[in-house]
Amino acid sequence: MSDPSKYTTGEVDALLHQGIDKADIGYIVIDKDTRVLVWNKWMEHASGRLQGDALNRPLAEIFPEIRDSRLEDAISNALERGMAGLLSAKLHRAPPLTLRRGDGGIARLTNPVIILRPLSGIETDRHGCLIQIIDETNSATREKTLRAQAITLRAQEEQLRTLFEAINDTVLLLDENGHIVALNDTACLRLSGTKPDILGRSFFDLLPTPNALTYRRYFNAVIDSRTPQRFEDTLGDGTYLVSMYPVPNGQGRIQRIAVLASDITERKLFEKRIFHLAHHDALTGLPNRAYLLDRIEHAINVAGRTRRRVGLVFLDLDHFKAVNDTMGHDSGDALLKTVANKLTSVVRASDTVARMGGDEFVILLEPAGQDQDIARMMERIIAALDLRWGTGADTVRVTTSIGVSVFPDNGNDARLLMKAADTAMYAAKSEGRNRFQFFSEEMTIRTLKRLHLERELREAVPNDEFIVHYQPKICFESNLICGAEALVRWRHPERGLLAPSEFIPLAEDTGIIVEIGEWVLERVCKQIAEWLKVGRAPLSIAVNVSPRQLFSNNFVDFVTKCLERYQVPLKFLQIEITENAIMSDLAKATLILLKLRHLGISIAIDDFGTGYSSLSYLSRLPIDVIKIDRSFVAGLADRNENLEIINAIVSLGRSLKMIVVAEGIETIKDVNVLTEACCHLGQGYLFAKPMAVADLEKWLDAKGYLGDCWGCKKRIDGDLLDDQGLKKLCR
Amino acid sequence: MITKKDWILDEDDYMFQWVGFILPQRQFRRETLTTCLNDSRVKTMAAVRHILVVDDSLLARMMLKKFISKLRPDWILCEAKDGNDALEKIGGNIVDIALIDYNMPGISGIELAKKVKEQFPKAGMALITANIQDYIINEAKAMGISFISKPIEEEKIAAFFNSMEK
Amino acid sequence: MNLSEFERDAICELVNIGIGRAARSLGKMVDDRVLLTIPAIELVEHVDVEAMLTSQTDSTLTAIRERFSGAFQGDAFLVFPEKHSLELVRSLLDEETPIETLTDLEQESLLEVGNIVLNACLGTFTNILSCRLDIDLPVLCCGSIGNILGARATSENTIYMVMRIDFTTQRKMIKGYLVFLFDSEFTTTFLAQIDSYITKNQ
């Protein structure tokens, strides 16, 4: 008996067919010749081709694009070999099956999966194939998005992890009980353990007790205040800057605390070193100018409140340059260090010794007592710094000039006090060095005057305020006039005619001397040219050249051009250089003088006997004339002490075939003595004062004994050193 | 390709060389060869070719042997189981035609073909292989070698032989 | 049971031809040359299958398995070390982003690769041996070689015929191998087919 509730095979088949028809995937069944046997509603919907239109037609007719495609291969595999097949849209540039709608449009079936199943028929040659088409478009899109998100998240996580590990600082993540949740390699290193060992342990247990207490305190503060905390901690030899941050869990609760510890040990040391470098002099280790200014300001502030005095002492070594030049910079540096040590040992602990640069030192006396207390200390310093520097013949005596200013007497800020002390120091120097000088108001006045004069002096050349006076030179043998020395005078608009001593030192200091010198040289050349032009027998004129001018870059060029411009024969020009100028840079001076001498210009050495020139140098220098300093000539007739010197100089000059000139001759007695000593020429008030051109011309005319001195002329004009002689000099 | 005229009239010594290649198989002696050459049967030997078969598969060699003996019964066959074996065997002998497998232990079929070609520039060759990737087909083409895909089938071999004789 | 030299040789040749087709299909898909080794054919006991197939370097594998039945019965595997299967998918799909695990989409494309390669191989067998095989849809399995083979019901003492051939794509160095495992009772059936093939061609 059949069960009436049980469906018949026919009923089941009907349901099955309906089921296939209503399935949510595409169902196609084809026979062995690929003719369509089943075409469900999904296919109708997707392709727009109705069942009636599709049935019994070969698949390739419905879908022409499957010819020679993977799908066709798969179909033939299924039909001929019984192989199931699977086609994924992903593997193909174009979908394996384009579903054409009835209206000609193309269904958006971007991601179909096609599954083929061979079907065997009841008769072996009546087999077929099931083609199922599943649209994966939606899931593919969703999956793509999810994957993109996952990739982004993973990338972010990776970046953070890399950062976490890459950081050279200690990084830890603690839970609310202080147990370690995460840490980086640096943290492992610091805590001297491996990650598995440390993870999960209490952070505070891993620290030495005192440090643990500090960390615990800040940890609690972070949890309580929910704000980051920052502190410095010393662990072993290291100093760490520790930051603790609350990490909210997204619901506002603090579940994690991030701990960052940067090793700032080196930075601390570095800061210390930088501070020292910035505030101290590298050579002596003393505070430098910047630091000193701080200290002065501070001292003034304190002293202002406590009504105390502060002393500021400026020191400058006398003749330091000589040490540097003759013994070398190493020796100079050593001297500066010695001075620094001596100063530090002389002053009180509360005083500050600083080096301003070069050979300048400053002492801040804090507090300073009364003037006499300061004076006593200055005397001690001067005594301490009265040194013999160097060994043997090279020994130089080093002394110090000191200027002192006092707060509040000389100023109430650092700048004024420094200036005052500086001024006082210059005063001490001009007073003759190796002494100290308190600042006084006059010094300021003097300084102001000096500044004023400088300003005027700068204007003097452009304003044509200089004139040249000439003082003739007389030959003792022939009584003939053998030339003149050109001497500059300043016709000051208010103060009248000024002697060189009143402005030349300032001109030297400020460098204006070069300009003045050039003007004089040019004026002299012009004068000689004028004399030649009017037919007057010209004199040989000696022009004084300052060291600055001599060593200026283009001096030789300038002289050459000047002579050329006015067409002055070389023999009429003589250059006078002081002995000290030559000795200040002997090598350079020799070179320049050789060049001049080579041109044919004669050279006189001025103020001879005052410096400390070495005779061996003298013999090698291209010098034609020695001018004995006036200090040896003055009072010559009354005292014999200088006579020896004059005799020596004259015989030296004569033996070196130089002409010897005596300056400052005032009495006939002087002339007698000098003639006796066989000095060649003389110059002085006895014969004539320095005169303006007009006066000179009148004087010459009146005297009437203008003429060539053959004896001297021979020396000056004729037997100039020949080439061989020059070569000898050069060597 | 060496013609009968070449080797009978001009190159006696050379002739003996390839005779040595035959001897082990046919048990000829030198005297009988001379007789043989003067024999009218020599005329039929005009179609004789020396064919080299190299394949590591015994089955493949057997199949080839079968087809060759069926298609060209007069040809003289030399078989080798791999490249080195083949090189040893062809030393001092002649190769007119070579059928070479690609995938073999030791040197590959292409390399072997190159070496055969050096010795016998006129030899007709076919790479006969299961590996049908394009790059191998192209390599064979570039060398002027025919390409026969496995499985070995009589028709494929026949077609190759026919193409050789055109 | 042992394989005769002749049987081994014939199976080798058969596999060679099958693999040749499979390699062509694979090579075309990844646009690369596929370098092949000489096949290894063994009759082994179940316990030895894993040992034969385990290579030391690759612990995690991805395999595409196809069940075949009909004239003979068994499973065909296309096996890649997991890294290489991902690399393969990347080169197939032109993916720029690195894939670390297979999602459905990638699985699907890998399945099609397996389908193509294994069908090329199995199809060759049926052609040459003139028989019919029903080949089921490809299935993806992952894990150790044990996990992969474990998908088959096995009994301890059965003898399997294992055919393995290794390949490498030349540029991207994707390595993998193919394995055919015949159900034990069908090993004999297969060998009978081979023997008749040999006889036919002798």
Side-chain angles (χ1 to χ4, degrees), chain A residues 1-21:
Chain A
M1 283 297 279
S2 61
D3 182 354
S5 67
K6 205 172 167 190
Y7 291 2
T8 62
T9 317
E11 280 168 337
V12 172
D13 278 356
L15 287 178
L16 185 64
H17 270 108
Q18 203 185 333
I20 287 171
D21 216 24

Side-chain angles (χ1 to χ4, degrees), chain A residues 427-451:
Chain A
K429 277 210 187 272
S430 45
E431 290 289 322
R433 309 168 195 271
N434 198 22
R435 66 191 66 214
F436 71 92
Q437 187 80 49
F438 278 94
F439 175 78
S440 67
E441 285 306 317
E442 301 157 45
M443 287 174 189
T444 321
I445 293 162
R446 225 180 299 148
T447 311
L448 285 175
K449 267 192 188 159
R450 200 176 130 97
L451 279 172

Side-chain angles (χ1 to χ4, degrees), chain C residues 1-3 7-8 11-12 14-15 40-46 49 52-53 68 72-75 77 125 129 152 158-164 179-192 194:
Chain C
M1 191 159 60
N2 275 317
L3 286 176
E7 283 169 336
R8 188 186 298 276
I11 297 168
C12 244
L14 195 66
V15 173
I41 318 289
E42 293 300 336
L43 284 176
V44 287
E45 286 191 22
H46 170 67
V49 175
M52 184 185 167
L53 295 178
F68 53 85
F72 33 87
Q73 195 168 306
D75 291 280
F77 296 89
F125 293 177
L129 299 177
R152 296 158 48 86
T158 45
I159 299 284
Y160 291 100
M161 184 160 70
V162 180
M163 304 190 249
R164 169 171 170 161
V179 182
F180 297 93
L181 286 180
F182 292 97
D183 291 358
S184 59
E185 61 270 35
F186 285 93
T187 304
T188 347
T189 322
F190 179 68
L191 286 180
I194 292 290

Side-chain angles (χ1 to χ4, degrees), chain A residues 164-165 167-173 180 182-195 198 203 206 259 261:
Chain A
F164 185 66
E165 287 300 346
I167 289 173
N168 265 333
D169 295 337
T170 304
V171 186
L172 293 143
L173 203 59
I180 297 171
L183 76 170
N184 67 354
D185 289 345
T186 315
C188 288
L189 216 67
R190 287 270 182 275
L191 296 170
S192 342
T194 61
K195 241 176 222 180
I198 295 173
F203 174 52
L206 295 166
V259 181

Side-chain angles (χ1 to χ4, degrees), chain A residues 296-490:
Chain A
I296 296 173
E297 293 290 358
H298 181 255
I300 288 173
N301 276 337
V302 173
R305 283 200 305 274
T306 55
R307 299 182 177 279
R308 279 181 159 168
R309 282 154 57 95
V310 174
L312 199 61
V313 179
F314 262 55
L315 287 102
D316 189 284
L317 299 182
D318 304 323
H319 308 302
F320 177 70
K321 195 172 180 307
V323 173
N324 247 352
D325 288 352
T326 56
M327 300 181 197
H329 287 279
D330 288 345
S331 180
D333 287 351
L335 172 60
L336 290 173
K337 281 188 202 168
T338 308
V339 169
N341 289 337
K342 284 192 182 284
L343 284 176
T344 332
S345 63
V346 169
V347 300
R348 300 164 302 176
S350 60
D351 301 333
T352 307
V353 179
R355 179 173 170 233
M356 306 299 275
D359 56 337
E360 280 188 358
F361 294 86
V362 174
I363 304 169
L364 176 66
L365 303 174
E366 183 191 6
Q370 294 308 306
D371 282 357
Q372 60 266 32
D373 301 327
I374 298 174
R376 264 197 295 280
M377 182 181 276
M378 294 308 111
E379 274 161 6
R380 279 213 305 280
I381 290 173
I382 283 172
L385 295 187
D386 192 348
L387 302 165
R388 297 290 179 279
W389 191 252
T391 50
D394 279 341
T395 308
V396 173
R397 183 180 170 196
V398 179
T399 55
T400 313
S401 300
I402 297 175
V404 184
S405 66
V406 177
F407 169 87
D409 304 358
N410 306 133
N412 50 14
D413 65 32
R415 196 182 57 83
L416 283 174
L417 286 174
M418 300 261 286
K419 210 176 149 198
D422 193 34
T423 308
M425 186 192 73
Y426 275 102
K429 277 210 187 272
S430 45
E431 290 289 322
R433 309 168 195 271
N434 198 22
R435 66 191 66 214
F436 71 92
Q437 187 80 49
F438 278 94
F439 175 78
S440 67
E441 285 306 317
E442 301 157 45
M443 287 174 189
T444 321
I445 293 162
R446 225 180 299 148
T447 311
L448 285 175
K449 267 192 188 159
R450 200 176 130 97
L451 279 172
H452 187 68
L453 187 65
E454 186 186 329
R455 212 175 304 126
E456 288 177 330
L457 195 58
R458 284 194 193 282
E459 294 300 311
V461 173
N463 289 349
D464 203 18
E465 289 170 7
F466 291 106
I467 51 168
V468 177
H469 281 187
Y470 300 89
Q471 187 173 38
K473 288 184 275 188
I474 313 293
C475 175
F476 291 132
E477 260 176 79
S478 62
N479 282 351
L480 289 174
I481 298 163
C482 300
E485 181 182 357
L487 293 157
V488 68
R489 295 284 185 272
W490 183 7

